[in-house]
Amino acid sequence: MKILVIHGPNLNMLGKREKSIYGEKTLGEIDALLKKEAQALNVEVVTFQSNHEGALIDFIQEQGDSAQGIIINPGALTHYGFSLLDALGDSKLPVIEVHLSDIYHREEWRAKSVIAPIAEERIIGSGWRGYITALQVLASKLNAEA
Ligand code: DQA
């Protein structure tokens, strides 16, 4: 079972970027923790980060057919990324939306997610642990369906 974990713009700066909001861990550390958890859950995780919406879409289109689910933190594209939304929808895969920070208690513009309508689950404000929870939830859903 293959799960795509997709990180949007600026998430490559984790560990340096607004640590009081996004935490101390780098993206590499988070991806390594996800891969460790994936081993324990006996699933394959393929991680990808880009600062470009088109590159995220290309990745979804290229990898979607061979994957069973998507975990995505779309970064600021959460709030206006309609082409990303379309690509996620077109993949027909179950999507879990993750945010490190609590987007409902920050600037008003962050409270709107254009991705939310197609997300099966949303894990918000739990820091890096939110990704691990997302992986556990998705793996158990997919296992239950298999
Ligand atoms: C974020 C929240 C977004 O508003 C922001 O633009 C990000 C990260 C989060 O993980 O909390 O880049 O998605």
Side-chain angles (χ1 to χ4, degrees), residues 9-11 17 22 73-79 98-103 106 109-110 131:
N10 297 309
L11 293 166
R17 177 190 184 204
Y22 297 120
N73 180 349
L77 291 169
T78 303
H79 316 299
V98 172
H99 298 285
L100 296 152
S101 68
D102 182 356
I103 55 174
R106 297 183 62 194
W109 59 268
R110 291 189 201 270
Y131 285 104

Side-chain angles (χ1 to χ4, degrees), residues 81-100:
F82 291 106
S83 344
L84 179 60
L85 168 69
D86 278 349
L88 289 167
D90 289 346
S91 78
K92 303 268 187 287
L93 294 171
V95 172
I96 302 197
E97 178 184 349
V98 172
H99 298 285
L100 296 152

